[in-house]
PDB file of all heavy atoms in Angstrom:
ATOM      1  N   THR A 151      18.506 -50.770 -66.983  1.00 97.00           N
ATOM      2  CA  THR A 151      19.801 -50.109 -66.864  1.00 97.00           C
ATOM      3  C   THR A 151      20.511 -50.575 -65.607  1.00 97.00           C
ATOM      4  O   THR A 151      20.005 -50.449 -64.499  1.00 97.00           O
ATOM      5  CB  THR A 151      19.618 -48.586 -66.819  1.00 97.00           C
ATOM      6  OG1 THR A 151      19.099 -48.149 -68.085  1.00 97.00           O
ATOM      7  CG2 THR A 151      20.944 -47.885 -66.551  1.00 97.00           C
ATOM      8  N   ALA A 152      21.687 -51.142 -65.795  1.00 98.00           N
ATOM      9  CA  ALA A 152      22.451 -51.709 -64.678  1.00 98.00           C
ATOM     10  C   ALA A 152      23.774 -52.239 -65.226  1.00 98.00           C
ATOM     11  O   ALA A 152      23.976 -52.317 -66.440  1.00 98.00           O
ATOM     12  CB  ALA A 152      21.676 -52.854 -64.019  1.00 98.00           C
ATOM     13  N   ARG A 153      24.624 -52.595 -64.288  1.00 98.00           N
ATOM     14  CA  ARG A 153      25.822 -53.332 -64.672  1.00 98.00           C
ATOM     15  C   ARG A 153      25.482 -54.813 -64.557  1.00 98.00           C
ATOM     16  O   ARG A 153      24.981 -55.249 -63.507  1.00 98.00           O
ATOM     17  CB  ARG A 153      27.015 -52.971 -63.795  1.00 98.00           C
ATOM     18  CG  ARG A 153      28.336 -53.509 -64.327  1.00 98.00           C
ATOM     19  CD  ARG A 153      29.530 -52.831 -63.715  1.00 98.00           C
ATOM     20  NE  ARG A 153      30.771 -53.238 -64.378  1.00 98.00           N
ATOM     21  CZ  ARG A 153      31.229 -52.659 -65.476  1.00 98.00           C
ATOM     22  NH1 ARG A 153      30.591 -51.644 -66.027  1.00 98.00           N
ATOM     23  NH2 ARG A 153      32.376 -53.098 -66.023  1.00 98.00           N
ATOM     24  N   TYR A 154      25.741 -55.566 -65.598  1.00 98.00           N
ATOM     25  CA  TYR A 154      25.386 -56.977 -65.663  1.00 98.00           C
ATOM     26  C   TYR A 154      26.632 -57.833 -65.417  1.00 98.00           C
ATOM     27  O   TYR A 154      27.663 -57.644 -66.074  1.00 98.00           O
ATOM     28  CB  TYR A 154      24.772 -57.306 -67.026  1.00 98.00           C
ATOM     29  CG  TYR A 154      23.359 -56.805 -67.147  1.00 98.00           C
ATOM     30  CD1 TYR A 154      23.084 -55.454 -67.264  1.00 98.00           C
ATOM     31  CD2 TYR A 154      22.285 -57.691 -67.119  1.00 98.00           C
ATOM     32  CE1 TYR A 154      21.783 -54.987 -67.342  1.00 98.00           C
ATOM     33  CE2 TYR A 154      20.971 -57.236 -67.209  1.00 98.00           C
ATOM     34  CZ  TYR A 154      20.732 -55.882 -67.315  1.00 98.00           C
ATOM     35  OH  TYR A 154      19.441 -55.429 -67.398  1.00 98.00           O
ATOM     36  N   TYR A 155      26.477 -58.760 -64.488  1.00 98.00           N
ATOM     37  CA  TYR A 155      27.571 -59.630 -64.086  1.00 98.00           C
ATOM     38  C   TYR A 155      27.273 -61.088 -64.416  1.00 98.00           C
ATOM     39  O   TYR A 155      26.151 -61.562 -64.208  1.00 98.00           O
ATOM     40  CB  TYR A 155      27.812 -59.513 -62.580  1.00 98.00           C
ATOM     41  CG  TYR A 155      28.237 -58.149 -62.124  1.00 98.00           C
ATOM     42  CD1 TYR A 155      27.296 -57.189 -61.747  1.00 98.00           C
ATOM     43  CD2 TYR A 155      29.587 -57.807 -62.063  1.00 98.00           C
ATOM     44  CE1 TYR A 155      27.677 -55.931 -61.324  1.00 98.00           C
ATOM     45  CE2 TYR A 155      29.983 -56.546 -61.641  1.00 98.00           C
ATOM     46  CZ  TYR A 155      29.026 -55.618 -61.272  1.00 98.00           C
ATOM     47  OH  TYR A 155      29.406 -54.369 -60.856  1.00 98.00           O
ATOM     48  N   CYS A 156      28.286 -61.765 -64.867  1.00 98.00           N
ATOM     49  CA  CYS A 156      28.223 -63.197 -65.105  1.00 98.00           C
ATOM     50  C   CYS A 156      28.901 -63.900 -63.930  1.00 98.00           C
ATOM     51  O   CYS A 156      29.881 -63.387 -63.381  1.00 98.00           O
ATOM     52  CB  CYS A 156      28.945 -63.507 -66.416  1.00 98.00           C
ATOM     53  SG  CYS A 156      29.090 -65.227 -66.832  1.00 98.00           S
ATOM     54  N   ALA A 157      28.373 -65.056 -63.555  1.00 98.00           N
ATOM     55  CA  ALA A 157      28.940 -65.806 -62.439  1.00 98.00           C
ATOM     56  C   ALA A 157      28.974 -67.296 -62.781  1.00 98.00           C
ATOM     57  O   ALA A 157      28.157 -67.770 -63.576  1.00 98.00           O
ATOM     58  CB  ALA A 157      28.122 -65.575 -61.171  1.00 98.00           C
ATOM     59  N   ALA A 158      29.878 -68.000 -62.134  1.00 97.00           N
ATOM     60  CA  ALA A 158      30.035 -69.435 -62.399  1.00 97.00           C
ATOM     61  C   ALA A 158      30.323 -70.186 -61.107  1.00 97.00           C
ATOM     62  O   ALA A 158      30.890 -69.637 -60.158  1.00 97.00           O
ATOM     63  CB  ALA A 158      31.170 -69.668 -63.397  1.00 97.00           C
ATOM     64  N   ARG A 159      29.937 -71.442 -61.116  1.00 95.00           N
ATOM     65  CA  ARG A 159      30.275 -72.327 -60.005  1.00 95.00           C
ATOM     66  C   ARG A 159      30.237 -73.762 -60.526  1.00 95.00           C
ATOM     67  O   ARG A 159      29.504 -74.077 -61.472  1.00 95.00           O
ATOM     68  CB  ARG A 159      29.294 -72.192 -58.857  1.00 95.00           C
ATOM     69  CG  ARG A 159      27.850 -72.552 -59.205  1.00 95.00           C
ATOM     70  CD  ARG A 159      27.069 -72.894 -57.973  1.00 95.00           C
ATOM     71  NE  ARG A 159      27.494 -74.176 -57.410  1.00 95.00           N
ATOM     72  CZ  ARG A 159      27.276 -74.515 -56.158  1.00 95.00           C
ATOM     73  NH1 ARG A 159      26.681 -73.674 -55.326  1.00 95.00           N
ATOM     74  NH2 ARG A 159      27.664 -75.703 -55.731  1.00 95.00           N
ATOM     75  N   LEU A 160      31.015 -74.595 -59.917  1.00 92.00           N
ATOM     76  CA  LEU A 160      30.945 -76.008 -60.240  1.00 92.00           C
ATOM     77  C   LEU A 160      29.651 -76.587 -59.667  1.00 92.00           C
ATOM     78  O   LEU A 160      29.192 -76.154 -58.602  1.00 92.00           O
ATOM     79  CB  LEU A 160      32.159 -76.741 -59.664  1.00 92.00           C
ATOM     80  CG  LEU A 160      33.479 -76.497 -60.389  1.00 92.00           C
ATOM     81  CD1 LEU A 160      34.639 -77.018 -59.562  1.00 92.00           C
ATOM     82  CD2 LEU A 160      33.463 -77.127 -61.762  1.00 92.00           C
ATOM     83  N   SER A 161      29.100 -77.529 -60.374  1.00 88.00           N
ATOM     84  CA  SER A 161      27.854 -78.166 -59.936  1.00 88.00           C
ATOM     85  C   SER A 161      28.024 -79.674 -60.079  1.00 88.00           C
ATOM     86  O   SER A 161      27.427 -80.301 -60.951  1.00 88.00           O
ATOM     87  CB  SER A 161      26.686 -77.663 -60.789  1.00 88.00           C
ATOM     88  OG  SER A 161      25.468 -78.237 -60.355  1.00 88.00           O
ATOM     89  N   PRO A 162      28.832 -80.255 -59.210  1.00 80.00           N
ATOM     90  CA  PRO A 162      29.200 -81.648 -59.404  1.00 80.00           C
ATOM     91  C   PRO A 162      28.093 -82.648 -59.113  1.00 80.00           C
ATOM     92  O   PRO A 162      28.121 -83.760 -59.629  1.00 80.00           O
ATOM     93  CB  PRO A 162      30.370 -81.823 -58.429  1.00 80.00           C
ATOM     94  CG  PRO A 162      30.116 -80.814 -57.358  1.00 80.00           C
ATOM     95  CD  PRO A 162      29.503 -79.639 -58.060  1.00 80.00           C
ATOM     96  N   LEU A 163      27.132 -82.243 -58.291  1.00 80.00           N
ATOM     97  CA  LEU A 163      26.138 -83.212 -57.838  1.00 80.00           C
ATOM     98  C   LEU A 163      24.913 -83.275 -58.735  1.00 80.00           C
ATOM     99  O   LEU A 163      24.193 -84.265 -58.722  1.00 80.00           O
ATOM    100  CB  LEU A 163      25.709 -82.888 -56.402  1.00 80.00           C
ATOM    101  CG  LEU A 163      26.824 -82.908 -55.365  1.00 80.00           C
ATOM    102  CD1 LEU A 163      26.271 -82.565 -53.990  1.00 80.00           C
ATOM    103  CD2 LEU A 163      27.522 -84.262 -55.350  1.00 80.00           C
ATOM    104  N   SER A 164      24.671 -82.211 -59.489  1.00 86.00           N
ATOM    105  CA  SER A 164      23.451 -82.202 -60.296  1.00 86.00           C
ATOM    106  C   SER A 164      23.685 -81.439 -61.588  1.00 86.00           C
ATOM    107  O   SER A 164      24.183 -80.318 -61.562  1.00 86.00           O
ATOM    108  CB  SER A 164      22.307 -81.541 -59.524  1.00 86.00           C
ATOM    109  OG  SER A 164      21.187 -81.350 -60.369  1.00 86.00           O
ATOM    110  N   GLU A 165      23.294 -82.025 -62.686  1.00 86.00           N
ATOM    111  CA  GLU A 165      23.405 -81.324 -63.956  1.00 86.00           C
ATOM    112  C   GLU A 165      22.172 -80.475 -64.232  1.00 86.00           C
ATOM    113  O   GLU A 165      22.151 -79.706 -65.176  1.00 86.00           O
ATOM    114  CB  GLU A 165      23.621 -82.309 -65.094  1.00 86.00           C
ATOM    115  CG  GLU A 165      22.485 -83.289 -65.303  1.00 86.00           C
ATOM    116  CD  GLU A 165      22.734 -84.205 -66.492  1.00 86.00           C
ATOM    117  OE1 GLU A 165      23.832 -84.133 -67.082  1.00 86.00           O
ATOM    118  OE2 GLU A 165      21.840 -85.006 -66.807  1.00 86.00           O
ATOM    119  N   ARG A 166      21.140 -80.602 -63.399  1.00 89.00           N
ATOM    120  CA  ARG A 166      19.891 -79.896 -63.630  1.00 89.00           C
ATOM    121  C   ARG A 166      19.719 -78.657 -62.751  1.00 89.00           C
ATOM    122  O   ARG A 166      18.840 -77.850 -62.979  1.00 89.00           O
ATOM    123  CB  ARG A 166      18.717 -80.833 -63.369  1.00 89.00           C
ATOM    124  CG  ARG A 166      18.637 -82.023 -64.283  1.00 89.00           C
ATOM    125  CD  ARG A 166      17.565 -82.984 -63.823  1.00 89.00           C
ATOM    126  NE  ARG A 166      16.271 -82.325 -63.659  1.00 89.00           N
ATOM    127  CZ  ARG A 166      15.398 -82.166 -64.643  1.00 89.00           C
ATOM    128  NH1 ARG A 166      15.677 -82.596 -65.848  1.00 89.00           N
ATOM    129  NH2 ARG A 166      14.250 -81.561 -64.413  1.00 89.00           N
ATOM    130  N   GLN A 167      20.564 -78.512 -61.756  1.00 90.00           N
ATOM    131  CA  GLN A 167      20.343 -77.476 -60.762  1.00 90.00           C
ATOM    132  C   GLN A 167      20.769 -76.100 -61.245  1.00 90.00           C
ATOM    133  O   GLN A 167      21.829 -75.932 -61.856  1.00 90.00           O
ATOM    134  CB  GLN A 167      21.094 -77.816 -59.480  1.00 90.00           C
ATOM    135  CG  GLN A 167      20.763 -76.929 -58.301  1.00 90.00           C
ATOM    136  CD  GLN A 167      21.380 -77.416 -57.003  1.00 90.00           C
ATOM    137  OE1 GLN A 167      22.093 -78.421 -56.974  1.00 90.00           O
ATOM    138  NE2 GLN A 167      21.115 -76.709 -55.927  1.00 90.00           N
ATOM    139  N   THR A 168      19.910 -75.111 -60.970  1.00 91.00           N
ATOM    140  CA  THR A 168      20.267 -73.723 -61.180  1.00 91.00           C
ATOM    141  C   THR A 168      20.431 -73.061 -59.819  1.00 91.00           C
ATOM    142  O   THR A 168      19.858 -73.499 -58.824  1.00 91.00           O
ATOM    143  CB  THR A 168      19.183 -72.982 -61.993  1.00 91.00           C
ATOM    144  OG1 THR A 168      17.910 -73.197 -61.365  1.00 91.00           O
ATOM    145  CG2 THR A 168      19.122 -73.472 -63.422  1.00 91.00           C
ATOM    146  N   PHE A 169      21.209 -72.004 -59.781  1.00 94.00           N
ATOM    147  CA  PHE A 169      21.541 -71.328 -58.532  1.00 94.00           C
ATOM    148  C   PHE A 169      21.135 -69.871 -58.642  1.00 94.00           C
ATOM    149  O   PHE A 169      21.491 -69.196 -59.617  1.00 94.00           O
ATOM    150  CB  PHE A 169      23.036 -71.473 -58.248  1.00 94.00           C
ATOM    151  CG  PHE A 169      23.466 -72.906 -58.131  1.00 94.00           C
ATOM    152  CD1 PHE A 169      23.866 -73.616 -59.249  1.00 94.00           C
ATOM    153  CD2 PHE A 169      23.459 -73.548 -56.900  1.00 94.00           C
ATOM    154  CE1 PHE A 169      24.251 -74.945 -59.157  1.00 94.00           C
ATOM    155  CE2 PHE A 169      23.848 -74.868 -56.792  1.00 94.00           C
ATOM    156  CZ  PHE A 169      24.236 -75.579 -57.916  1.00 94.00           C
ATOM    157  N   LEU A 170      20.403 -69.391 -57.652  1.00 95.00           N
ATOM    158  CA  LEU A 170      19.753 -68.095 -57.755  1.00 95.00           C
ATOM    159  C   LEU A 170      20.366 -67.010 -56.863  1.00 95.00           C
ATOM    160  O   LEU A 170      20.043 -65.846 -57.043  1.00 95.00           O
ATOM    161  CB  LEU A 170      18.269 -68.229 -57.403  1.00 95.00           C
ATOM    162  CG  LEU A 170      17.498 -69.376 -58.084  1.00 95.00           C
ATOM    163  CD1 LEU A 170      16.021 -69.258 -57.761  1.00 95.00           C
ATOM    164  CD2 LEU A 170      17.742 -69.397 -59.574  1.00 95.00           C
ATOM    165  N   GLN A 171      21.213 -67.394 -55.947  1.00 95.00           N
ATOM    166  CA  GLN A 171      21.751 -66.441 -54.982  1.00 95.00           C
ATOM    167  C   GLN A 171      23.209 -66.117 -55.280  1.00 95.00           C
ATOM    168  O   GLN A 171      23.991 -67.004 -55.621  1.00 95.00           O
ATOM    169  CB  GLN A 171      21.640 -67.013 -53.567  1.00 95.00           C
ATOM    170  CG  GLN A 171      20.231 -67.356 -53.137  1.00 95.00           C
ATOM    171  CD  GLN A 171      19.340 -66.138 -53.081  1.00 95.00           C
ATOM    172  OE1 GLN A 171      19.782 -65.022 -52.803  1.00 95.00           O
ATOM    173  NE2 GLN A 171      18.054 -66.342 -53.357  1.00 95.00           N
ATOM    174  N   PRO A 172      23.602 -64.861 -55.118  1.00 96.00           N
ATOM    175  CA  PRO A 172      25.004 -64.500 -55.385  1.00 96.00           C
ATOM    176  C   PRO A 172      26.009 -65.324 -54.584  1.00 96.00           C
ATOM    177  O   PRO A 172      27.065 -65.681 -55.116  1.00 96.00           O
ATOM    178  CB  PRO A 172      25.058 -63.015 -54.988  1.00 96.00           C
ATOM    179  CG  PRO A 172      23.664 -62.527 -55.155  1.00 96.00           C
ATOM    180  CD  PRO A 172      22.790 -63.688 -54.775  1.00 96.00           C
ATOM    181  N   TYR A 173      25.682 -65.643 -53.336  1.00 96.00           N
ATOM    182  CA  TYR A 173      26.649 -66.354 -52.494  1.00 96.00           C
ATOM    183  C   TYR A 173      26.881 -67.786 -52.965  1.00 96.00           C
ATOM    184  O   TYR A 173      27.833 -68.437 -52.540  1.00 96.00           O
ATOM    185  CB  TYR A 173      26.195 -66.348 -51.031  1.00 96.00           C
ATOM    186  CG  TYR A 173      24.961 -67.167 -50.720  1.00 96.00           C
ATOM    187  CD1 TYR A 173      25.040 -68.550 -50.565  1.00 96.00           C
ATOM    188  CD2 TYR A 173      23.725 -66.561 -50.580  1.00 96.00           C
ATOM    189  CE1 TYR A 173      23.908 -69.298 -50.286  1.00 96.00           C
ATOM    190  CE2 TYR A 173      22.588 -67.304 -50.297  1.00 96.00           C
ATOM    191  CZ  TYR A 173      22.690 -68.673 -50.155  1.00 96.00           C
ATOM    192  OH  TYR A 173      21.568 -69.410 -49.876  1.00 96.00           O
ATOM    193  N   GLU A 174      26.044 -68.276 -53.848  1.00 96.00           N
ATOM    194  CA  GLU A 174      26.196 -69.638 -54.356  1.00 96.00           C
ATOM    195  C   GLU A 174      27.235 -69.735 -55.478  1.00 96.00           C
ATOM    196  O   GLU A 174      27.552 -70.834 -55.915  1.00 96.00           O
ATOM    197  CB  GLU A 174      24.849 -70.162 -54.861  1.00 96.00           C
ATOM    198  CG  GLU A 174      23.800 -70.278 -53.766  1.00 96.00           C
ATOM    199  CD  GLU A 174      22.497 -70.868 -54.257  1.00 96.00           C
ATOM    200  OE1 GLU A 174      21.795 -70.163 -55.035  1.00 96.00           O
ATOM    201  OE2 GLU A 174      22.178 -72.006 -53.873  1.00 96.00           O
ATOM    202  N   TYR A 175      27.747 -68.620 -55.919  1.00 96.00           N
ATOM    203  CA  TYR A 175      28.710 -68.601 -57.009  1.00 96.00           C
ATOM    204  C   TYR A 175      30.107 -68.278 -56.491  1.00 96.00           C
ATOM    205  O   TYR A 175      30.292 -67.461 -55.601  1.00 96.00           O
ATOM    206  CB  TYR A 175      28.296 -67.586 -58.071  1.00 96.00           C
ATOM    207  CG  TYR A 175      27.073 -68.021 -58.834  1.00 96.00           C
ATOM    208  CD1 TYR A 175      25.799 -67.691 -58.391  1.00 96.00           C
ATOM    209  CD2 TYR A 175      27.201 -68.780 -59.991  1.00 96.00           C
ATOM    210  CE1 TYR A 175      24.670 -68.106 -59.086  1.00 96.00           C
ATOM    211  CE2 TYR A 175      26.081 -69.198 -60.696  1.00 96.00           C
ATOM    212  CZ  TYR A 175      24.821 -68.857 -60.239  1.00 96.00           C
ATOM    213  OH  TYR A 175      23.708 -69.280 -60.927  1.00 96.00           O
TER     214      TYR A 175
END
């Protein structure tokens, strides 16, 4: 139970990288 948020960011340097921290979006 929570409010679920979607986030996005450009990832120009790597197509494989995932981002785990809120500040990265």
Side-chain angles (χ1 to χ4, degrees):
T151 294
R153 191 163 188 85
Y154 285 72
Y155 297 90
C156 176
R159 61 159 289 159
L160 286 168
S161 182
L163 300 180
S164 171
E165 62 177 5
R166 297 172 54 87
Q167 189 172 1
T168 52
F169 300 89
L170 312 187
Q171 301 297 329
Y173 68 80
E174 297 183 290
Y175 290 89

